[in-house]
Amino acid sequence: MSKHLAAYQHRIIDIVGRAEAVIGADTRPSSQALGKLRWDLARAMNEYQVFKHSRIFDPAIAAGGERGSAASRMREACMAIGSEYRLYVAAWNATNILDNWDDYRAAALTMLARIRAHVDAEMEHLPALVTAPERKAA
C-alpha cells in the first residue's frame, strides 16, 4: 500500500511543480494549458482522496484509539483542502483568467503552496497510520 500512497503523493507534487513553473513563467500560458493543469490536479487529488479515505483513514478510524483520532483529524484536513481547491476552481472558472492575470497568478500560487504543504504534511504523518498495527477485535 505504501507504494500506491507514494505514487499518488508524487503525482500531485509533480503536477503542482509543473503548474508553479507555468504560472510563474514570464509569459502567460494559454487558457487551455491552465485548464489542463487544473483538471490534472483535480483528478489526481480526487483519486488520492478516495484512496486515502478507503484504504487508510476509514480502517484507522475503525481501529480506534490514538491512531483513529489521528486518522480522523487527517481525514478532516484532507476534506478541507479538497473543498478549498474545488471552491478555488469554481471561482476562477467564472472569471476570464487571462484578463485578470495578476490576481489569478497570486491566487494560483497561493493555492498550489497550500496543496504542496498539505501533501508534504501527509508524507510525514501518513506512514504512521499505514504501518501502525490494527487493533484486534475482542
Side-chain angles (χ1 to χ4, degrees), residues 21-37:
V22 166
I23 293 165
D26 291 336
T27 59
R28 290 184 191 185
S30 69
S31 57
Q32 292 83 8
L34 292 171
K36 180 172 179 357
L37 285 166

Side-chain angles (χ1 to χ4, degrees), residues 44-71:
M45 287 177 62
N46 186 58
E47 291 171 4
Y48 177 50
Q49 185 178 53
V50 169
F51 174 81
K52 286 184 299 185
H53 288 232
S54 66
R55 303 284 302 274
I56 299 170
F57 295 150
D58 293 347
I61 292 167
E66 181 53 37
R67 181 175 177 232
S69 295

